[in-house]
Amino acid sequence: MTGWNASDIPDQSGRTAVVTGANSGIGYITARELARKGARVVLACRSEARGTAALERLRSEVPGAQAEFGQLDLGDLSSVRKFAGSHGSGERLDLLINNAGVMALPQGRTADGFETQFGVNHLGHFALTGLLLPRLLDTPGARVVSVSSGFHALADVDIADLNSERRYRRWIAYGRSKTANLLFIHELARKLAARGSDVVAASAHPGYASTNLATQGVRMEGRKAVERVIELGNRVIAQSAEAGALPTLYAATAPGVLPDSFTGPSLMMWRGAPATSWRARRTLDDAAGERLWAASEQLTGVTF
């Protein structure tokens, strides 16, 4: 992987990709670079205004790009089902990039009553993947890539309190949702292997990338001073969104990516070219993956 960058992405002509949260940050960069290499890209975004603005920007940066907007609110399972119904049959699907996410928000609930971070970061993507899986299975060489975080190290999934009802701590809830991302891919990879499928399920993380993710929570609470400190860190310390998107793009397109692999920046999981990343051993626990899978099916009503 040494020095791997966007110019190393193989030709994507004839391939179709769905990228969630593609209106900004690493999601937008991921969609743009896939389109630049010839893929047809669906920008799956919650906000129609921001999604269509991102689509216009992408088309201006990549003339002739095959790209479209699809409305998707991962915090509302009815929206997930509607999106999958519109994009779930009759076409190939080569890449599903589960990128969208929220981080360290004040306590809240999704439209279906789930704790917001667990509901958006994990359950919404779990349901989306299950609903789109028939298309992936019918497409030779398809991949599913879920974007986790080094912050998964903060907390294990609490299967007895998935919605943080006993006690809510925003960073612990975030860490649990990112552990859930890795456990989901671990279990999905096992299930795909058991059925003899060549669909590759893998994970990635961006390290510390300059995006608006870190400011979501403090902005919601009007904590201007903290927001300014985070913005300063984004300018001075973080790597660019372009660099942060490289691990996702590598996991999605590079030859030889292994099922259940975890790709991140090479320098202390912080920045640098894509490399195999450290992960907590609990994210490779088969029994934990099975328990989370069963609970996720029950909560979402989506069975694979």
Side-chain angles (χ1 to χ4, degrees):
M1 301 184 194
T2 303
W4 194 94
N5 58 54
S7 66
D8 296 310
I9 299 170
D11 180 40
Q12 299 295 300
S13 298
R15 310 189 82 207
T16 297
V18 170
V19 183
T20 69
N23 58 283
S24 66
I26 66 171
Y28 173 77
I29 301 300
T30 299
R32 185 191 68 191
E33 295 309 310
L34 291 172
R36 197 188 303 279
K37 289 292 185 172
R40 171 179 169 262
V41 180
V42 179
L43 283 67
C45 312
R46 181 175 61 86
S47 166
E48 182 174 4
R50 290 194 293 270
T52 53
L55 179 61
E56 292 176 5
R57 176 185 170 194
L58 189 153
R59 286 174 171 166
S60 69
E61 293 181 346
V62 186
Q66 300 179 72
E68 62 188 78
F69 165 75
Q71 192 155 28
L72 171 67
D73 183 352
L74 290 160
D76 185 343
L77 291 177
S78 66
S79 175
V80 175
R81 291 182 183 277
K82 184 177 180 180
F83 177 88
S86 300
H87 299 84
S89 62
E91 299 175 338
R92 65 184 294 133
L93 178 56
D94 300 87
L95 299 174
L96 173 58
I97 312 295
N98 292 325
N99 162 81
V102 293
M103 184 170 77
L105 299 185
Q107 187 171 17
R109 289 287 183 265
T110 69
D112 305 283
F114 307 129
E115 187 276 310
T116 302
Q117 298 189 80
F118 184 70
V120 171
N121 295 352
H122 170 62
L123 290 176
H125 281 128
F126 178 90
L128 179 66
T129 305
L131 294 167
L132 294 179
L133 189 61
R135 281 182 62 193
L136 292 159
L137 292 170
D138 287 342
T139 306
R143 295 187 189 182
V144 179
V145 178
S146 285
V147 178
S148 183
S149 167
F151 282 115
H152 80 273
L154 290 175
D156 196 359
V157 169
D158 184 350
I159 200 69
D161 189 25
L162 292 174
N163 287 302
S164 300
E165 293 172 332
R166 289 199 290 255
R167 181 184 180 188
Y168 182 75
R169 291 170 291 174
R170 67 184 69 195
W171 282 105
I172 295 301
Y174 179 68
R176 287 174 175 169
S177 74
K178 296 290 101 178
T179 292
N181 291 155
L182 286 166
L183 273 176
F184 166 56
I185 288 295
H186 176 69
E187 186 62 15
L188 178 59
R190 291 207 315 137
K191 292 184 182 302
L192 290 167
R195 76 174 276 153
S197 172
D198 70 344
V199 175
V200 172
S203 300
H205 75 92
Y208 183 10
S210 179
T211 71
N212 61 11
L213 184 66
T215 58
Q216 289 176 337
V218 295
R219 186 176 298 118
M220 289 172 64
E221 295 176 315
R223 298 160 66 192
K224 295 294 185 181
V226 178
E227 184 178 352
R228 285 194 291 271
V229 170
I230 295 171
E231 290 173 343
L232 179 62
N234 279 350
R235 290 196 300 271
V236 176
I237 303 173
Q239 62 180 352
S240 66
E242 282 79 2
L246 289 178
T248 300
L249 287 163
Y250 182 94
T253 68
V257 169
L258 297 176
D260 200 25
S261 55
F262 187 35
T263 303
S266 57
L267 183 59
M268 299 179 66
M269 299 178 63
W270 190 271
R271 60 191 302 141
T276 299
S277 187
W278 172 87
R279 63 194 290 179
R281 291 184 64 184
R282 62 175 175 265
T283 67
L284 297 167
D285 186 315
D286 294 351
E290 290 174 354
R291 288 193 296 269
L292 178 63
W293 190 282
S296 300
E297 287 193 332
Q298 183 177 13
L299 289 170
T300 63
V302 175
T303 57
F304 286 55

